Amino acid sequence: MARRSGGRQTGRPPAAPRAPRVDPADPVVRRHAEEVRAAMQALERGDLESARSGFRAVLDENIRHPDALLGMGLFASRVELFDTAASLIRQAIDIDPGNGSYWSNLGNVLQKMDRWDEAIEAHRKAVRFNPNHFAIRQNLGSALNLADRPFEGLPHLREALRLNPNSPDVAASYATTLYRVGEYGAAARFFRQALAGNPQLAGARFNGAVNLNWIGQWQEGWQSYDWRYATQGFHHPPALFRAPDPLPEDLHGRKALVFGEQGIGDEVRFATMVPDLLGRGATVTLECAAKLQPLFQRSFPTATVRAFPVPGEASEAGLDDFDIVLPTGSLGRHFRMGADRFPERRQVLQPDPVRVAELGRRVAAIAPGPTVGLCWRSRARGRTRAEFYPEVAELGPILAVPGVTFVNLQYDDCAAELAEIRERFGVQVHVIDGLDLFDDLAGSAALSAALDMVVSANTSVAAIAGGVGVPTVEFHGRPVPPGYPVNGHDPWFPSVTPVGKRMADPWGRLFRTVARLVAEGGGGSA
């Protein structure tokens, strides 16, 4: 299950400025206002050429028409000319610096440019000039959420909801931010409120489904999970998907094409349902990331496993040869509709036993004692890193467990961090030379299987370790809801113990819990 939620539920600031400071009876002024309004409507319905030409016609007659400058900026943003968009909107602001709408739209563009400090400042100015417009409040709250400051965003989103309690979009933004800070029950209520007002709100459908699955309400969650393909970031055409609903118990004689989706961790997680499809007799073809293909083929020997024809993109040709065509995440509504539908098998992935033995010998030669693989972050280096992942300076309680030999599972350049660990804690996290932990996932799986235990952040490392059945502690930067684990363990990977913390809490308390689990060998729940 994808447990991340983008939260890009932002309102739309008012496009029209305050009352014009020119004679509204002037026929040219009236005509320009009508032309700008028509161009805005064209932009809204996606008729970009009519929008561009409409704004351009007004600017040809009045290059300082602020609404036309705003509109042309919005057009430039739509075609991803963000520098141009920001410049045009700033010109509108120069003419009318007290217009909250202009500042809010500038903030939206700066967000797309990943200039978050400037974006938030623009949104704050928008609220200062227009504090009682719900969409302007909503945009500030959503920007703070997306900039890894969700607690700061919540009061603005609450105010936006007070100003417009019937707005499904505001309710969805509020719900998304509540989910982000670990208020999962409240998030579910406001997602339902948003969808009661607009059942077609795709982001609320998908994010609400992610939240429901995370709190263990699988049956309701899976029902809306396919809405992910109506949101940004999911581009495979749902029209190509097909499967009998419900899926028959007997699939002998039927050919199924299923393809991985989202990140490597989700590909591994959802691939745990491939044995269910094979178990019903289907002839299965699985498409996946190229670096997973060798591991998946060994793990599912009766399936045909092939790499995506284009990295990250499933096949769109030859689909008529298959009776069932689905992304692996969509198997959940057929096979995982409740906690009791998750199998208890500890191992799904089958690493090469020769490589496991060889890596086991190399690990044993490093030092005696229990061996623990360690991964403390993903490759993410942007604004969300602090939310989910610690700095190495915070790993002290784990590294202080006596008698443990730590082995690096961090899959990117971490030499500086390993050096910091040595200098700060006097602990060597050993690197297996010659093993590419990023691209050689069959090797990564073999190394995990050769270890006594793995401690990992919520990354693909934890999914692979869980897939090979090694005892694993997976730590999260926010609470793990009590409805998610099954008998204290991750329902997808029974060898994995998930633990979490309140976002506002430091990592130290959680890592003392992790240290205790390491000392105990990873068993039990936390």
Side-chain angles (χ1 to χ4, degrees), residues 179-191:
Y179 166 82
R180 184 90 177 273
V181 302
E183 297 290 343
Y184 309 120
R189 290 195 299 275
F190 282 99
F191 277 128

Side-chain angles (χ1 to χ4, degrees), residues 17-33 62 64-66 95-96:
R18 300 169 301 172
R21 290 164 302 287
V22 292
D23 182 3
D26 186 322
V28 174
V29 170
R30 290 203 304 272
R31 176 168 57 81
H32 284 173
N62 180 4
R64 288 179 54 79
H65 193 290
I95 298 165
D96 186 3

